[in-house]
Amino acid sequence: MTIEVKDVDSLTEDEAVQALAALAAEIARHDQLYHQQDEPEISDADYDALRQRYAAIEDRFPDLVRQDSPSGKVGSAPSSGFSKVAHARPMLSLSNAFDDDDVTEFGARIRRFLGLDESDTVEIVAEPKIDGLSASLRYENGVFTLGATRGDGATGEDISANLRTISDIPETLPPEAPTTFEVRGEVYMSRDDFFTLNERQKSAGNKEFANPRNAAAGSLRQLDASITATRPLHFFAYSIGESSAVTGDTHWEFLSLLDRWGFSVNPLSRLCANSAEALALYREIAAGRSTLPYDIDGIVYKINRLDWQARLGMVSRAPRWAIAHKFAAEQAETVLHGISIQVGRTGALTPVAELEPITVGGVVVSRATLHNADEIERKDVRVGDTVVIQRAGDVIPQVVRAISEKRLEDSVPFQFPTHCPECGSLVLQEDGEVVRRCTGGLICPAQSLERLKHFVSRNAFDIEGFGGKHIEAFRNDGLIETPADIFRLANHADDIAKREGWGQQSLDNLLGAIEARRAVPLDRFIYALGVRQVGQSNARLLARHYGTYEGLALAISESTDPESEAYATLIAIDGIGPSVATDLIAFFSESHNRTVLEDLSEILEIEPFIQEESDSPIAGRTVVFTGTLEKMTRGEAKARAETLGAKVSGSVSKKTDYVVAGPGAGSKAKKAAELGLTILSEEEWLDMLGKVSTA
Ligand code: IVH
């Protein structure tokens, strides 16, 4: 089991979303079994453990509180809670930068994307990153009409009544404000108010809050707004949602408008002429951080020009035009009791530090990653050492260094195992790789178990109610060995029904959930295989390109010959390239895998890939860009084309639909002409896209 799964502190936000969804469903199922069917499947202690884990994750990610949050139901009459609000524009999160290099790379990426050179000025607005929870406020005709939590970014909860109790939030806006106007910002509690509130909670015999952010979240989540009114909450405004009118050309102008309209804008925010100025502000604020009346966990940099923001768009759930530069991690000293080795899905051996439990940045840490053998050697970390550990944002705790002055006299350097601790197979390190891997493949129980877990995981087959624990237990008892066995579990129904903790109902639920996944979209199927370097995004690229499982399997088998056209096509898929191709070909040629694949393709219905944007004229079409583009960079052109459902390829073939040729286009344009393909100028291409809504 990986430490991410075990440890709430090391969950990323995406993992937390998944964990909350899975736990909420699990808890609801047990509630139903207990209350409606009088047929509990688990002990009260196990049930409490589920709820505790849920609450711990929710405490850490107050922004992610779900509509169906089981924690909201504790001790209160069944209540529908807050009503749902679909956000008119998604509420985004931010990608993180942890050091100056990440910030420099952010600037460089933006210049590349927009096609700017060093002489162009890129202004940046730097703002403190407030450690609270975000809210969206909607004004219609100048009147506050609706306030919502972020929720999952697409849908939040209506907390209008609670937000109205916050004095920083104006009830009305001046006539110059747009008819429809949404502003987003952070609800937070000052440290002093937090301590006072906790005193009050304590003397009233109520639960104290762990930190100001949790206190703000707990206060905002009150179903009774009169309780919220007694909690001293504040609000800093920092971004826009839906708006019926344009609000200036830059983010800086927007902030000054907000200020004029009566919102609180963080006074430390500053317009910086370049990233060096932004970094200087970062250092200044970091140094004075502890003297601020409220918690901040970094500085957010935002590209000032709004037209550039629009062109930069977003990746996943975060804008390309902003980044959060996190403050350095909090550190602590503790003793390293041992180093254990985890074996992952692809055989990678990860050393894990087993520590004397210690509190770092408000949470207890007892394990930390040591990354790999080289890292242990470089840092010369030894069992028995006193070590410095740190937590940086959402990342798993790390061992920073050993304190040599405190080293025990008889300590010895750590010997990394030469054989897999799980199956005894030889451990090898491939050329150019830092990772050491177990060579046991599927005969290694750890690898095959991790592969099975990956196969049923949320972004793969997503089999409801069939988590890692079940997989492990079923595998240990010989009920499943390969992924296809999961779809044959019905043959073992009697065995399962007799197992402890299983009844007819839960068995039926499981078999139903498995059956529901017998038809699987191609991209999920590819991802579920767990090929090295093929995550969700590469799985989608492959699915989009090959369309069907048969098409993919044939293409990969033909690609074993590096001279073949199939291989040339594979590596030309933008984003794939020779390294991923090598892993794919190796996976598809390995004999155990071939058996598994044949078995699966017979037992499953692998659905052809469906283009998401079917109304786009370029959906499903293959496009090649060649020559110089004048209106945008290659990166931007590629991102736009892919957003509209096109496949972008690096080479021209019979299968190419459009070749967009700018000045200086050479052999590719010539080949396109020979093949009689449609060749477009950049102008014609943009005209074609112009007919499509990119909103
Ligand atoms: S901008 C596209 N600005 O940080 C706009 N966010 O890690 C995205 N946050 O969900 C947000 N201070 O809750 C922005 N000055 C600031 C912020 C800020 C705090 C929070 C916000 C967001 C989270 C992302």
Side-chain angles (χ1 to χ4, degrees):
M1 187 184 273
T2 61
I3 40 185
E4 289 98 316
V5 176
K6 276 187 176 166
D7 188 354
V8 172
D9 303 327
S10 56
L11 290 176
T12 64
E13 189 166 320
D14 281 348
E15 286 164 350
V17 169
Q18 292 174 17
L20 287 175
L23 282 166
E26 179 89 351
I27 293 169
R29 191 168 75 84
H30 291 301
D31 283 344
Q32 159 101 7
L33 287 168
Y34 185 90
H35 295 292
Q36 255 115 63
Q37 289 164 234
D38 285 328
E39 245 185 29
E41 278 175 16
I42 56 172
S43 68
D44 286 359
D46 286 350
Y47 176 81
D48 288 345
L50 286 177
R51 293 192 76 115
Q52 269 160 16
R53 182 168 169 82
Y54 191 95
I57 299 177
E58 212 174 52
D59 271 0
R60 218 187 124 220
F61 295 95
D63 275 4
L64 299 183
V65 169
R66 295 167 57 89
Q67 192 74 34
D68 58 357
S69 165
S71 66
K73 296 178 192 154
V74 182
S76 60
S79 129
S80 54
F82 301 104
S83 54
K84 270 193 182 176
V85 178
H87 295 302
R89 298 268 181 280
M91 286 186 77
L92 304 176
S93 56
L94 293 168
S95 46
N96 291 328
F98 294 103
D99 56 26
D100 290 10
D101 285 352
D102 292 346
V103 177
T104 310
E105 173 49 28
F106 166 70
R109 205 159 54 226
I110 281 175
R111 280 174 193 278
R112 275 200 304 276
F113 195 96
L114 296 173
L116 307 176
D117 55 45
E118 283 310 310
S119 61
D120 293 301
T121 303
V122 180
E123 286 180 338
I124 293 168
V125 176
E127 304 168 4
K129 186 170 186 299
I130 316 297
D131 200 6
L133 55 156
S134 48
S136 184
L137 317 175
R138 192 176 174 90
Y139 291 82
E140 302 275 3
N141 301 310
V143 179
F144 176 58
T145 52
L146 180 66
T149 61
R150 175 170 159 220
D152 62 4
T155 311
E157 288 179 330
D158 180 347
I159 51 161
S160 310
N162 302 12
L163 290 169
R164 280 182 212 282
T165 68
I166 301 179
S167 59
D168 290 336
I169 296 179
E171 187 53 43
T172 56
L173 300 184
E176 62 174 302
T179 333
T180 297
F181 179 68
E182 274 179 11
V183 63
R184 272 110 192 236
E186 205 79 355
V187 176
Y188 67 97
M189 189 180 284
S190 77
R191 265 195 295 265
D192 279 353
D193 286 338
F194 155 72
F195 289 127
T196 315
L197 171 64
N198 262 358
E199 285 300 316
R200 223 164 69 200
Q201 291 284 102
K202 203 157 95 186
S203 47
N206 290 335
K207 196 176 143 258
E208 290 177 67
F209 295 101
N211 53 43
R213 183 174 65 153
N214 287 358
S219 304
L220 209 50
R221 226 186 294 138
Q222 294 293 331
L223 283 175
D224 179 354
S226 66
I227 300 182
T228 312
T230 67
R231 307 277 174 88
L233 294 173
H234 296 279
F235 181 82
F236 276 129
Y238 53 63
S239 82
I240 195 167
E242 191 182 12
S243 174
S244 56
V246 181
T247 47
D249 295 330
T250 64
H251 182 61
W252 190 244
E253 279 171 53
F254 172 67
L255 290 183
S256 70
L257 274 183
L258 289 179
D259 180 56
R260 215 164 61 219
W261 295 348
F263 292 99
S264 295
V265 174
N266 191 287
L268 300 172
S269 305
R270 197 177 299 166
L271 177 61
C272 304
N274 50 45
S275 50
E277 271 187 28
L279 281 173
L281 183 71
Y282 170 89
R283 289 191 234 293
E284 191 184 314
I285 295 180
R289 178 185 174 194
S290 57
T291 62
L292 284 177
Y294 44 82
D295 280 352
I296 60 174
D297 55 351
I299 301 291
V300 184
Y301 304 132
K302 301 175 181 175
I303 298 302
N304 192 30
R305 272 177 62 167
L306 299 182
D307 58 336
W308 283 352
Q309 287 192 3
R311 279 175 62 190
L312 286 157
M314 57 177 196
V315 240
S316 312
R317 300 191 300 140
R320 261 198 204 88
W321 46 263
I323 199 160
H325 188 182
K326 294 300 206 63
F327 290 134
E330 303 207 47
Q331 298 192 333
E333 268 181 36
T334 189
V335 175
L336 177 67
H337 290 311
I339 296 176
S340 56
I341 304 284
Q342 286 184 347
V343 183
R345 175 166 57 81
T346 60
L349 265 48
T350 307
V352 176
E354 306 290 348
L355 306 162
E356 178 61 31
I358 179 134
T359 306
V360 196
V363 299
V364 178
V365 171
S366 57
R367 308 182 85 198
T369 180
L370 281 161
H371 299 293
N372 52 56
D374 292 4
E375 180 103 350
I376 300 180
E377 205 175 294
R378 191 169 53 238
K379 292 181 177 161
D380 187 20
V381 172
R382 303 178 184 191
V383 173
D385 278 353
T386 298
V387 293
V388 176
I389 60 158
Q390 71 174 20
R391 290 182 61 240
D394 290 333
V395 209
I396 304 165
Q398 301 159 0
V399 174
V400 185
R401 64 191 162 86
I403 302 175
S404 50
E405 306 85 69
K406 297 192 181 171
R407 172 158 290 165
L408 305 174
E409 267 175 24
D410 57 353
S411 82
V412 287
F414 180 69
Q415 291 295 322
F416 205 84
T418 52
H419 290 80
C420 173
E422 301 282 346
C423 72
S425 300
L426 194 66
V427 167
L428 282 183
Q429 186 172 18
E430 285 172 27
D431 281 352
E433 274 215 53
V434 280
V435 181
R436 294 178 195 211
R437 287 178 206 275
C438 157
T439 51
L442 289 177
I443 68 136
C444 173
Q447 284 192 53
S448 72
L449 178 64
E450 291 305 321
R451 277 221 221 168
L452 284 168
K453 286 185 188 167
H454 174 78
F455 188 84
V456 298
S457 67
R458 163 90 175 197
N459 293 322
F461 272 71
D462 189 22
I463 298 179
E464 206 183 318
F466 201 36
K469 271 212 177 114
H470 292 133
I471 292 276
E472 200 165 343
F474 282 23
R475 212 270 311 246
N476 290 345
D477 293 351
L479 293 177
I480 46 176
E481 192 181 334
T482 74
D485 293 338
I486 294 168
F487 292 91
R488 289 189 279 261
L489 272 176
N491 301 340
H492 298 284
D494 293 344
D495 291 346
I496 300 172
K498 280 190 229 127
R499 297 171 71 90
E500 206 187 311
W502 286 82
Q504 194 56 43
Q505 181 66 43
S506 49
L507 173 66
D508 289 349
N509 288 349
L510 174 66
L511 295 179
I514 293 173
E515 222 33 57
R517 293 292 184 261
R518 201 176 281 272
V520 59
L522 177 60
D523 53 332
R524 273 186 182 263
F525 177 76
I526 300 172
Y527 172 74
L529 296 176
V531 183
R532 245 151 88 180
Q533 302 196 71
V534 181
Q536 272 180 288
S537 129
N538 278 344
R540 277 184 86 75
L541 282 177
L542 291 164
R544 180 180 286 158
H545 196 92
Y546 293 107
T548 61
Y549 172 69
E550 292 71 25
L552 170 79
L554 181 67
I556 307 279
S557 71
E558 287 177 358
S559 299
T560 40
D561 173 7
E563 300 297 319
S564 64
E565 195 181 322
Y567 181 76
T569 310
L570 175 62
I571 61 166
I573 300 175
D574 234 345
I576 298 290
S579 164
V580 179
T582 306
D583 284 338
L584 268 168
I585 295 166
F587 184 95
F588 276 75
S589 347
E590 205 273 330
S591 74
H592 282 108
N593 292 341
R594 290 176 76 101
T595 316
V596 167
L597 284 168
E598 273 163 32
D599 202 4
L600 280 173
S601 62
E602 272 171 31
I603 217 162
L604 297 174
E605 187 193 322
I606 308 170
E607 298 165 342
F609 186 75
I610 299 166
Q611 298 296 341
E612 0 24 324
E613 306 253 357
S614 49
D615 57 344
S616 143
I618 62 165
R621 303 303 174 90
T622 303
V623 186
V624 174
F625 294 100
T626 176
T628 315
L629 299 181
E630 286 165 343
K631 298 269 164 32
M632 58 177 88
T633 60
R634 279 281 175 91
E636 185 175 356
K638 178 177 167 240
R640 276 189 76 179
E642 284 180 351
T643 308
L644 295 170
K647 300 178 265 194
V648 179
S649 174
S651 67
V652 173
S653 76
K654 291 194 293 286
K655 293 182 193 142
T656 311
D657 294 294
Y658 300 112
V659 175
V660 181
S667 61
K668 287 183 195 170
K670 198 163 145 235
K671 182 161 177 201
E674 282 164 15
L675 290 170
L677 303 175
T678 310
I679 305 179
L680 304 171
S681 67
E682 186 180 0
E683 205 76 37
E684 288 167 328
W685 165 250
L686 289 173
D687 265 2
M688 194 156 104
L689 296 195
K691 299 196 179 79
V692 191
S693 149
T694 48

